[in-house]
Amino acid sequence: MVFPVWPCAPRRAVFQMTALVLAGVTWCGGMGTGAQEPADPARARQKAFRVAALAYGVPEKVLLAVSYLESRWDANQGVPSVTGGYGPMHLTDARTALRGRTPPVPAGPDLQRVDEAARLTGLPGERLITDPDANVLGGAALLATYQRELGGRPVSDPAAWYDAVARYAGTGAGQGFADEVFAVLRSGASRVTDDGQRVTLARLGGITPPVSGDGPRVASPAARERQSAPARLGEGRDVECPRGVECEWLPAPYERLPGGKYGNHDVADRPRDQSIDYIVLHDTEATYAQTLKMVADPAYVSWHYTIRSADGHIAQHVRTKDVAWHSGNWYVNAHSIGIEHEGFLAKAGAWYTEAMYRSSARLVRYLARRFGVPLDRAHILGHDNVPGTVPSAVAGMHVDPGPYWDWGHYFALLGRPVRATGGRDAGLVTIRTDYPRYRPRFTGCGGVDCPPHGSASVWLHTAPSDDAPLVRDVGRRPTGETTYDVYDHGARATTGQRFAVAGRRGDWTAVWYLGQLAWFHNPTNRPTAVETEGFVVTPRRGLDVVPVYGRAYPERGAYPKGVPVQDVTPLQYAFPRGQRYAVGRATRGEYFHANTPDPEEHRVVRGRVVYFQIQFGHRVAFVKASDVRVLRPDSTTG
């Protein structure tokens, strides 16, 4: 027999309590009622939250808000998150999720929540993983247990559950997670989940969390611990983070190494000496703990921030004024801030937590405002959008964060949702998939097809048919065909990216892509792109082919004595006459010369040649302004 956490609940097994709730029984001094409602399959998850809240004495809105921060109420088809969490409540089971990984990832208490939930509910761990309703019960049981252990009571006031919510983050530093949960409580939320469930959290206006800028207003042990801990929030002197986001300073080493080398970043004075034009998003392909070990290695590369999956906690490693070595493209490094997100592109999971999305979006909004970075896909790049610098580097460029990163949701959190800005004759389309329900095929997940999952990417074919071959990327696979492998983006376009329309046929739209005509399925009743306005470039008159570059470096005459000239080498692609590509930005050639640890010896070389950045394929590229003409895409000239 399994008993609920709180003595006020009837001594029944969980399945018996569930039956009582559905029959309309009320308990726990008015904590809630289970009034009978007409059966609606699309509202089953909403009822599951009500049942679990009543069974364990947790305020229903708190349970809904915690689940929203973990999974946005999605079931995720039983696929684990990037940190081994399952279901709407993100119950972690590292033994199952990370099975077969090399090296094996140890399963600590934060990575093995399923066991604790199984003990509390009496439900088998397998059911807690695979059954969304059971998963919600397990999450409620955990919250109730944390509330009791922290000295709280099962009261109906959501504000009294702040510390239990922080503990649910599971890392010992969940204040930022709890603050986001309370932000969701204040704003409310409503959506249709990935499995068609309609879930609503009505806004709870006026709720005040027990922690604010003035410090804790509750006396629980966790709150007292936070009060005595060193300040690590955005207003602290060591970190560059927005207020209200949990952030700490864990510096990357800047050391001289044997052989005259040094690591692992360059001291600079940005934006005074160089503008910051990009923010590059990565995933770690490692756990948070493993990632912190890597950034502490002076012989390894570096990045500016790492964000933890479980609760969105941020660690800063390199100051934004300095240049980190993160993107594989020195020009982009010199003009960017790199942010790593704990996770695996495919091997250990396919979805990222809402807590990490929201924390990342807050950080990017803060950085974009501070440095004037436009919030669009020409400036907010994935590592997989950064071009190789020379032909030999293209094939080895990284492919994270991959097709499962929800760019549409991310830009909505940034306050710049992807929307139509033009009519059908505008001449440009911006990719925008219906992420939860758009589930294209991917292979390469442990030697088998990846489980069906929402994606922000569309496949590009050589003809308007699913049976047609995928377009080729001669840089990534010089002698082979593009595949459906999750790590092969040679024929993919992703939400937020803009392309010039090259044709339409039925439910298919063609765009110019890597010098080719590329078709993607774009049915009227379920579109995967929206019409947008903007500018395009096309080869100037007299040029049959325009060179495409992976970096915007100055002309030879701009280099002073003592600074080696960097060749401006075209990539292996062709941009032929008659094709058009969307313009992202214009910039003059620039090179940051830094090959010693002494910043006094660094030089910034600025040229006169102007480049346009274009969306050439899955990655961006550069063309010289002197080689092209800028047009409205609906122009008939050129």
Side-chain angles (χ1 to χ4, degrees):
M1 186 72 70
V2 178
F3 299 105
V5 173
W6 301 109
C8 61
R11 299 169 71 82
R12 302 281 197 276
V14 167
F15 74 90
Q16 292 173 311
M17 290 190 295
T18 301
L20 288 172
V21 173
L22 294 176
V25 174
T26 304
W27 59 62
C28 264
M31 285 293 295
T33 63
Q36 192 88 18
E37 296 178 0
D40 181 356
R43 300 289 290 181
R45 183 139 323 133
Q46 185 87 51
K47 183 168 286 187
F49 282 105
R50 184 173 301 116
V51 168
L54 288 166
Y56 288 99
V58 180
E60 181 181 346
K61 289 186 176 181
V62 169
L63 190 62
L64 282 162
V66 169
S67 178
Y68 188 86
L69 252 292
E70 294 286 19
S71 68
R72 299 178 75 209
W73 306 319
D74 285 341
N76 286 294
Q77 302 92 46
V79 174
S81 75
V82 294
T83 46
Y86 289 86
M89 296 303 298
H90 195 244
L91 299 183
T92 50
D93 184 14
R95 288 194 302 265
T96 300
L98 306 180
R99 188 177 295 148
R101 281 195 60 80
T102 303
V105 179
D110 293 345
L111 293 176
Q112 205 57 44
R113 290 291 182 81
V114 163
D115 291 350
E116 187 180 3
R119 178 180 60 81
L120 293 171
T121 63
L123 297 171
E126 179 67 20
R127 184 175 175 189
L128 290 167
I129 288 174
T130 60
D131 181 347
D133 292 357
N135 188 276
V136 173
L137 279 169
L142 290 170
L143 271 172
T145 297
Y146 301 153
Q147 176 78 341
R148 182 186 60 187
E149 291 176 352
L150 292 169
R153 292 180 53 78
V155 296
S156 60
D157 179 13
W161 288 75
Y162 182 93
D163 289 316
V165 169
R167 169 81 175 276
Y168 194 90
T171 58
Q175 179 179 338
F177 177 85
D179 289 342
E180 285 291 347
V181 166
F182 274 74
V184 171
L185 283 168
R186 286 192 294 272
S187 65
S190 182
R191 69 185 295 264
V192 177
T193 67
D194 62 349
D195 55 349
Q197 293 290 310
R198 294 196 301 271
V199 183
T200 299
L201 169 61
R203 64 184 300 271
L204 196 60
I207 184 173
T208 304
V211 173
S212 70
D214 298 327
R217 294 199 295 270
V218 293
S220 71
R224 289 195 297 273
E225 181 181 348
R226 285 199 304 275
Q227 195 171 28
S228 61
R232 295 191 299 184
L233 292 179
E235 54 267 25
R237 62 183 178 84
D238 287 329
V239 291
E240 299 168 278
C241 288
R243 290 179 179 270
V245 172
E246 195 169 82
C247 190
E248 63 180 323
W249 173 245
L250 297 174
Y254 187 68
E255 300 177 7
R256 294 178 183 269
L257 302 172
K261 298 181 179 180
Y262 66 102
N264 55 17
H265 59 280
D266 280 290
V267 174
D269 192 18
R270 304 185 310 175
R272 182 177 300 176
D273 58 359
Q274 299 176 96
S275 60
I276 295 175
D277 303 307
Y278 305 104
I279 298 172
V280 181
L281 308 187
H282 308 250
D283 80 45
T284 60
E285 295 297 312
T287 66
Y288 183 76
Q290 292 167 332
T291 302
L292 296 188
K293 289 180 181 178
M294 287 187 283
V295 81
D297 181 356
Y300 196 59
V301 296
S302 61
W303 49 93
H304 293 87
Y305 298 89
T306 301
I307 304 182
R308 189 163 56 199
S309 175
D311 59 354
H313 178 77
I314 300 171
Q316 184 179 1
H317 315 298
V318 177
R319 301 190 187 283
T320 57
K321 73 178 185 66
D322 297 331
V323 174
W325 305 348
H326 63 96
S327 79
N329 182 312
W330 185 242
Y331 174 81
V332 173
N333 281 351
H335 293 275
S336 68
I337 293 170
I339 304 175
E340 290 277 2
H341 298 78
E342 181 187 13
F344 303 88
L345 190 156
K347 290 183 180 178
W351 57 282
Y352 299 86
T353 65
E354 180 68 5
M356 186 162 67
Y357 275 128
R358 292 170 73 97
S359 184
S360 176
R362 282 181 181 256
L363 176 61
V364 169
R365 286 200 310 267
Y366 160 80
L367 295 170
R369 284 195 301 267
R370 182 176 171 191
F371 298 111
V373 179
L375 292 173
D376 59 41
R377 290 287 273 117
H379 299 82
I380 310 300
L381 304 176
H383 196 177
D384 53 352
N385 307 134
V386 176
T389 53
V390 294
S392 60
V394 172
M397 293 298 289
H398 285 217
V399 296
D400 58 293
Y404 298 130
W405 182 264
D406 191 347
W407 284 105
H409 178 53
Y410 192 72
F411 269 83
L413 291 174
L414 290 175
R416 295 291 189 276
V418 179
R419 293 185 176 133
T421 59
R424 192 172 173 83
D425 59 350
L428 282 169
V429 290
T430 298
I431 305 300
R432 187 187 69 182
T433 69
D434 182 4
Y435 182 94
R437 281 167 287 282
Y438 184 73
R439 300 172 186 176
R441 179 194 179 200
F442 290 103
T443 63
C445 288
V448 299
D449 277 15
C450 302
H453 198 279
S455 175
S457 294
V458 299
W459 289 111
L460 299 168
H461 297 263
T462 57
S465 169
D466 287 322
D467 296 329
L470 299 173
V471 297
R472 290 189 58 196
D473 183 342
V474 297
R476 184 153 186 83
R477 289 179 176 268
T479 60
E481 300 296 324
T482 305
T483 70
Y484 287 93
D485 192 283
V486 70
Y487 296 99
D488 187 353
H489 62 239
R492 292 207 302 255
T494 301
T495 291
Q497 293 179 331
R498 288 191 310 159
F499 297 91
V501 175
R504 301 181 195 267
R505 189 179 302 172
D507 287 340
W508 290 78
T509 300
V511 296
W512 296 116
Y513 184 94
L514 294 177
Q516 306 160 80
L517 192 67
W519 294 87
F520 68 96
H521 196 222
N522 185 26
T524 303
N525 63 341
R526 197 168 230 184
T528 53
V530 293
E531 312 289 339
T532 50
E533 294 183 337
F535 292 93
V536 297
V537 291
T538 193
R540 67 173 175 81
R541 291 185 179 91
L543 285 183
D544 291 329
V545 177
V546 166
V548 176
Y549 304 94
R551 52 192 179 186
Y553 275 176
E555 67 278 9
R556 296 181 66 87
Y559 289 83
K561 185 178 180 179
V563 177
V565 173
Q566 304 297 304
D567 291 331
V568 183
T569 306
L571 299 179
Q572 57 267 69
Y573 303 104
F575 175 1
R577 182 174 57 187
Q579 295 188 9
R580 302 179 179 194
Y581 291 89
V583 177
R585 59 184 291 260
T587 183
R588 290 190 182 277
E590 190 171 290
Y591 169 63
F592 178 46
H593 177 61
N595 59 2
T596 78
D598 183 1
E600 294 298 321
E601 299 181 21
H602 296 171
R603 296 288 184 273
V604 177
V605 181
R606 295 182 174 86
R608 303 173 67 88
V609 173
V610 174
Y611 291 85
F612 289 120
Q613 178 184 308
I614 60 174
Q615 189 66 59
F616 189 59
H618 189 77
R619 301 184 188 274
V620 300
F622 300 93
V623 293
K624 291 181 179 179
S626 58
D627 289 338
V628 297
R629 292 183 299 136
V630 179
L631 303 170
R632 284 283 187 185
D634 56 356
S635 171
T636 58
T637 61

